[in-house]
Amino acid sequence: MTVELTGEQLKITENQLKGHLPRSLQAYGYLVLLNRSDEVRADPIKVLVDRWPDFSVIVFKPKGDLFKDTMVYATDEAILEETIRKPSVIDWSRYLCLGVNLHHIDIFKAVATEKRLPSQKRSVCHVMMLKDVSNLPSIDSSGISLSSLDESHIDLVNQTWKFAESDESVRMIRNMLASYPSCCVLDGDAKPVAWILTYMSCAIGMLYTLPEHRGKGYAKILVSAMAKTFHAQGYPVYCFIEEENVVSYRLFKNMGFTEDPSYRATWFSFNEL
């Protein structure tokens, strides 16, 4: 029987997942933001576990119609397979974008195959974490104007985001800018030329610099600024880097981020509409 976590259970679970870092980073990040609703406007999420308090599977299901994924973290594959077959946990009749450990994806694909549902790989990513903010290199940001993004910048971010597909991504970005920290470099006309956002899992991402402004060190300045902000607030400092994105991987590695080389995060979509 699955259990939906609320209140104090969510705080207890956050501490439990902290002991599973770095593999539990995404699940831990969700709970960090959920449990700090006085600091950020966390998205409405249903958090389910296979049992309480000694759970082996935790599922984060978005509420509403935002362009968001369902995230699953598990320590037992047998219980994982049993859990995701429950209609109350995963509704396989609808479009699904699932974020999971790459090692578990065959379980999801097998269930989808039984149900004759098509699947599509979205991305496979390194999960990189800054364990000690003192590892950040010294960066001179004098003369650089930093600010946060607002609703007027939604279209700009959406147009440059690799995974932008429809009005759904516009709603997702609007929600991210309204709810979570962001940082951008402004030009002389107070227009953003580089930026970084925060996902609902507390991961920093969507790092982008307009082509004509590259080579000026803006990405390093933004990552450093966000990392220091997150560290000061007690948030985990981490990001997802697609396996083929060698440039970004090198950037974050040079800034002191590390990874568990045996672990990859992946996103698959099922029952594509």
Side-chain angles (χ1 to χ4, degrees):
M1 179 179 179
T2 56
V3 178
E4 180 176 357
L5 303 183
T6 59
E8 193 63 28
Q9 292 174 322
L10 293 171
K11 296 178 181 178
I12 293 172
T13 303
E14 177 186 330
N15 289 327
Q16 289 174 313
L17 289 173
K18 192 173 185 178
H20 291 260
L21 295 175
R23 294 196 170 199
S24 63
L25 261 172
Q26 193 173 9
Y28 175 68
Y30 271 106
L31 288 173
V32 166
L33 293 184
L34 278 173
N35 289 329
R36 288 156 180 77
S37 57
D38 57 330
E39 300 172 12
V40 296
R41 192 179 71 188
D43 286 349
I45 304 172
K46 181 180 289 188
V47 183
L48 303 173
V49 293
D50 60 296
R51 61 184 183 273
W52 174 263
D54 300 316
F55 61 90
S56 298
V57 177
I58 184 167
V59 179
F60 295 84
K61 295 179 61 175
K63 296 179 181 179
D65 61 351
L66 287 176
F67 183 77
K68 296 180 290 190
D69 57 284
T70 295
M71 205 288 293
V72 181
Y73 172 72
T75 57
D76 186 303
E77 290 197 332
I79 296 177
L80 171 62
E81 182 173 359
E82 177 186 337
T83 302
I84 65 172
R85 289 180 179 276
K86 297 178 179 179
S88 61
V89 177
I90 301 291
D91 183 358
W92 291 94
S93 68
R94 302 180 61 185
Y95 167 78
L96 289 169
C97 183
L98 291 167
V100 298
N101 183 336
L102 182 60
H103 293 303
H104 299 327
I105 196 60
D106 286 343
I107 294 174
F108 289 87
K109 292 173 72 173
V111 174
T113 298
E114 289 177 14
K115 299 178 180 294
R116 298 182 179 181
L117 300 177
S119 63
Q120 178 183 352
K121 182 176 72 174
R122 293 284 181 171
S123 62
V124 178
C125 298
H126 301 277
V127 183
M128 306 193 72
M129 181 181 188
L130 184 66
K131 296 181 180 179
D132 187 347
V133 74
S134 66
N135 289 334
L136 285 169
S138 177
I139 298 173
D140 181 12
S141 60
S142 58
I144 303 298
S145 178
L146 295 179
S147 184
S148 56
L149 295 166
D150 59 42
E151 188 164 335
S152 69
H153 305 131
I154 293 171
D155 287 340
L156 177 63
V157 175
N158 188 60
Q159 290 166 10
T160 56
W161 187 39
K162 176 181 178 179
F163 296 102
E165 296 178 343
S166 64
D167 291 342
E168 295 292 333
S169 61
V170 172
R171 287 199 290 271
M172 175 186 174
I173 293 168
R174 176 178 289 110
N175 183 67
M176 291 169 70
L177 295 185
S179 304
Y180 309 122
S182 65
C183 189
C184 67
V185 175
L186 301 177
D187 65 11
D189 296 320
K191 295 181 179 179
V193 296
W195 52 83
I196 190 169
L197 281 70
T198 305
Y199 291 104
M200 61 187 297
S201 60
C202 204
I204 57 176
M206 290 194 193
L207 176 64
Y208 188 84
T209 301
L210 295 176
E212 62 270 27
H213 291 275
R214 292 174 185 172
K216 301 177 182 179
Y218 290 164
K220 291 181 180 179
I221 292 172
L222 290 171
V223 171
S224 180
M226 285 287 274
K228 291 175 181 177
T229 297
F230 275 36
H231 175 73
Q233 295 176 342
Y235 299 171
V237 183
Y238 78 106
C239 64
F240 299 104
I241 305 294
E242 289 185 278
E243 285 190 323
E244 61 270 26
N245 194 339
V246 178
V247 174
S248 286
Y249 181 86
R250 187 181 301 119
L251 166 69
F252 280 89
K253 185 175 182 180
N254 289 341
M255 295 195 70
F257 286 69
T258 60
E259 67 169 331
D260 176 350
S262 67
Y263 173 68
R264 291 287 185 278
T266 187
W267 281 263
F268 266 74
S269 60
F270 299 88
N271 208 22
E272 191 80 38
L273 297 177

